[in-house]
Amino acid sequence: MEPREIVRVVRSRMEEKHIRVRDARLNGSAASHVLHGEGWPGLQGPRPHLLRRHEAESDFQTVKDIVLDCLLDFLPDCVNKERITPLTLKNVELKFVDSLRRQFEFSVDSFQIKLDSLLLFYECSENPMTETFHPTVMGESVYGDFGEALEHLRHKVICTRNPEEIRGGGLLKYCHLLVRGFRAASESEMKSLQRYMCSRFFIDFSDIGEQRRKLESYLQNHFLGLEDRKYDYLMTLHGVVNESTVCLMGHERRQTLGLIAMLAVRVLAEQNVIPNVANVTCYYQPAAYVADGNFSNYYVAQVQPVFACQQPAYSTWLPCN
């Protein structure tokens, strides 16, 4: 089944219910992949956005029912549709947008490709598409400067506007970009951006349970077929949180670092890099500023060093538990 067919049928049924769709767009990593041409690690598949005019809250339930009915209709005739277990559509993510306060996190994921002319071509044209016979497809960058954003994508530069507005999940996306080889334009800009990312993450996900669910969901959704990169990603995240978190008390920070370390160990166990994780103890390294005796917002546990050596009174490595 072609993704465009899903979009066509869903859109048609929405309009039958008098829910007007303004346009359909491809965005996120899929749009970046189309524009840049190189492989985009962790690409989830097409992510069409159907932009709609707000009518009423009940419309959202109507849209949900339409999508589910369409998926059932696409199932083969041999499937018993009365006894369907929960399923996940792995290759296509549909989003129905009325309005967004912020449509992008970084310039490299700010691209949107308008699909309407392409969808109309497939519906109306009797001739196949060729290099000389094709519709005009428009793309834009909601970052504000298409050319600049495209240069950032080509040269793997991390850049954004108003980082304080980026929601907590931006930290996870930022670390994913670091693992892919992207870097901020300057060291000072990177440090400032990381502090913003960490602060917003802990505002939006203040509970350790919420943090765990968010991390596990991100790993599941963004590393399909790339399980070997999960460990590097988690270690990168661990380093950023360890270095740039300034909004937490010591025990909260240790909790989060311990969670990330635990997930990293679990990834190694799943890959058979280590045989057994039952007796593994995770350690984290305090950020450099906790050695300052005048820095009172963090608590440094007085424990014995892991290795006996002539070092400062505090341990270089502290146990998570």
Side-chain angles (χ1 to χ4, degrees):
M1 182 201 320
E2 295 289 341
R4 67 172 181 266
E5 186 64 14
I6 298 177
V7 174
R8 184 190 67 80
V9 173
V10 169
R11 183 174 188 170
S12 174
R13 294 190 185 182
M14 288 176 64
E15 292 174 347
E16 288 175 3
K17 296 290 186 180
H18 306 292
I19 301 176
R20 189 176 72 85
V21 177
R22 194 174 73 205
D23 56 35
R25 305 186 181 200
L26 186 71
N27 82 324
S29 57
S32 299
H33 171 72
V34 170
L35 289 168
H36 188 32
E38 290 188 0
W40 189 266
L43 181 65
Q44 292 174 271
R47 301 177 63 186
H49 277 203
L50 299 179
L51 303 184
R52 51 177 294 277
R53 185 181 63 190
H54 179 69
E55 299 289 347
E57 291 297 325
S58 59
D59 287 350
F60 290 102
Q61 183 59 46
T62 302
V63 169
K64 180 180 177 181
D65 293 340
I66 288 173
V67 173
L68 293 177
D69 288 342
C70 289
L71 292 179
L72 288 175
D73 291 343
F74 280 122
L75 292 174
D77 294 335
C78 59
V79 175
N80 185 345
K81 299 178 182 180
E82 301 298 323
R83 302 180 62 181
I84 298 294
T85 57
L87 56 87
T88 302
L89 191 63
K90 290 293 186 181
N91 296 321
V92 179
E93 179 183 348
L94 290 174
K95 290 187 177 181
F96 301 87
V97 180
D98 176 51
S99 63
L100 284 175
R101 182 177 179 180
R102 187 183 177 98
Q103 299 185 57
F104 73 102
E105 293 168 327
F106 306 100
S107 61
V108 295
D109 67 0
S110 66
F111 300 104
Q112 296 184 3
I113 299 174
K114 298 181 180 181
L115 301 176
D116 295 85
S117 60
L118 186 64
L119 296 172
L120 184 61
F121 177 90
Y122 283 118
E123 286 185 35
C124 300
S125 176
E126 297 179 355
N127 299 312
M129 190 181 305
T130 67
E131 291 186 4
T132 57
F133 181 69
H134 57 77
T136 299
V137 179
M138 301 296 293
E140 66 175 331
S141 168
V142 289
Y143 171 74
D145 188 321
F146 185 93
E148 183 180 345
L150 192 58
E151 283 299 300
H152 292 164
L153 181 62
R154 288 170 175 166
H155 295 96
K156 295 189 173 183
V157 176
I158 300 175
C159 189
T160 189
R161 300 188 192 279
N162 304 322
E164 69 279 0
E165 296 177 358
I166 300 177
R167 298 186 66 85
L171 172 64
L172 307 185
K173 179 64 173 289
Y174 170 77
C175 291
H176 204 171
L177 290 174
L178 292 179
V179 171
R180 296 174 185 171
F182 287 74
R183 292 293 181 269
S186 67
E187 185 74 15
S188 60
E189 183 178 336
M190 183 178 71
K191 290 184 179 296
S192 175
L193 185 59
Q194 288 181 178
R195 286 194 293 270
Y196 275 121
M197 297 287 99
C198 289
S199 297
R200 188 56 194 259
F201 179 81
F202 290 114
I203 290 172
D204 289 351
F205 307 102
S206 57
D207 179 76
I208 191 67
E210 294 176 343
Q211 295 169 20
R212 177 168 184 164
R213 286 189 290 273
K214 182 64 177 179
L215 281 172
E216 290 178 337
S217 174
Y218 192 91
L219 290 172
Q220 179 180 356
N221 294 329
H222 292 81
F223 288 86
L224 296 174
L226 298 169
E227 285 73 15
D228 58 322
R229 300 193 182 187
K230 286 183 179 180
Y231 179 80
D232 289 341
Y233 170 74
L234 288 167
M235 288 297 93
T236 299
L237 176 62
H238 189 281
V240 170
V241 171
N242 187 42
E243 178 183 350
S244 302
T245 299
V246 295
C247 61
L248 296 182
M249 298 298 289
H251 72 282
E252 294 172 324
R253 183 169 166 276
R254 287 193 294 273
Q255 263 192 330
T256 301
L257 290 171
L259 168 64
I260 299 171
M262 180 273 293
L263 291 175
V265 171
R266 190 175 73 181
V267 165
L268 293 179
E270 291 172 351
Q271 297 172 359
N272 295 321
V273 176
I274 55 177
N276 186 1
V277 298
N279 298 316
V280 171
T281 301
C282 301
Y283 294 89
Y284 80 95
Q285 187 174 18
Y289 49 72
V290 302
D292 183 358
N294 296 322
F295 193 88
S296 59
N297 287 341
Y298 287 80
Y299 171 72
V300 181
Q302 299 299 318
V303 299
Q304 292 299 318
V306 177
F307 300 103
C309 56
Q310 299 299 320
Q311 294 290 339
Y314 69 93
S315 172
T316 302
W317 296 92
L318 304 180
C320 299
N321 52 3

